[in-house]
Amino acid sequence: MDQPQRPEPIFNAPWPALLVAAAVIVPHLLLQNASQDLIYSLALVPREFWEGRWTGVVTMMFVHGGWVHAVMNAAFGLAFGAPVSRVLGLNGRGGGIFCLFYLACGLVAGVGFAAIHPQGLSPVVGASGAIAGLMGAAARTMDSAPGHLGPVFGPRVISLGLGWLVVNLVLAVTGSLLTMGAGGVAWEAHLIGFAAGVLLIGPFARWAGPPAGVVDAP
């Protein structure tokens, strides 16, 4: 007698990807009634960063400019975090390395933005740079078998990167509903984050080790 097939779960995102979404949505809920002074203290202010207030480059990732901004980052975090987490492993070690990878991409994106605008005084918030890092890393998984990484200049990396470049150039010219700081979009951080993800996923996957972190190309 044939056994009935179990239905596929409707929602089965890996837990590290769910953690990224929670790291976006939960702080946004908690900060709904926060004062402007508190939000400013958590934001990245490029000039103050170079003057020694370094904490903003981390705390900015947990603050968002509105529900549209937060929900879109959470959705992209789920989508692109899933393949990256499967490469790094879904056990405790792999999840920890995934979190460090996510934070590293956000840090590189934030510091890169501060380097481009060293005298900037507008506060910048959002996890978009870290999410873009997940996008870049996920692009490398699209050029290979599941659980492996494709080359840095693989066709999917190039096509997704060019598309991401066009989107952000459009945002740079036209602005967006996704407010950051004084209403602009830190599009440079998006591009830097994507590049960081493409480059850093290789070393992080090697750190995660086999079998989850098997790397096919540098």
Side-chain angles (χ1 to χ4, degrees):
M1 182 175 177
D2 293 336
Q3 294 292 328
Q5 290 185 344
R6 297 178 62 184
E8 287 292 325
I10 295 174
F11 189 75
N12 62 346
W15 68 267
L18 290 171
L19 188 61
V20 167
V24 172
I25 296 298
V26 173
H28 186 66
L29 278 171
L30 296 176
L31 293 170
Q32 283 295 285
N33 298 315
S35 67
Q36 289 298 312
D37 287 342
L38 176 58
I39 297 299
Y40 186 90
S41 71
L42 297 173
L44 168 67
V45 181
R47 182 171 177 177
E48 293 183 4
F49 173 81
W50 296 117
E51 292 173 350
R53 188 167 76 85
W54 300 326
T55 56
V57 78
V58 175
T59 55
M60 66 174 285
M61 291 183 246
F62 302 95
V63 185
H64 288 79
W67 273 111
V68 174
H69 189 198
V71 169
M72 287 195 68
N73 269 349
F76 279 117
L78 281 174
F80 295 112
V84 176
S85 63
R86 292 188 178 104
V87 166
L88 298 177
L90 300 181
N91 55 16
R93 173 182 168 82
I97 293 174
F98 174 90
C99 292
L100 291 175
F101 172 75
Y102 174 80
L103 291 173
C105 290
L107 285 169
V108 171
V111 172
F113 182 85
I116 294 171
H117 303 280
Q119 298 302 315
L121 292 174
S122 295
V124 180
V125 298
S128 300
I131 299 296
L134 293 179
M135 182 189 302
R140 289 190 63 183
T141 71
M142 299 175 190
D143 285 325
S144 65
H148 296 249
L149 294 178
V152 170
F153 295 105
R156 295 295 182 89
V157 175
I158 293 174
S159 60
L160 189 57
L162 289 175
W164 191 230
L165 174 63
V166 170
V167 167
N168 281 279
L169 290 179
V170 171
L171 291 179
V173 174
T174 65
S176 171
L177 293 176
L178 308 182
T179 58
M180 262 189 181
V185 177
W187 60 272
E188 300 98 328
H190 299 174
L191 298 178
I192 295 169
F194 182 90
V198 170
L199 296 174
L200 292 179
I201 187 59
F204 274 84
R206 291 186 179 89
W207 182 19
V214 176
V215 182
D216 291 326

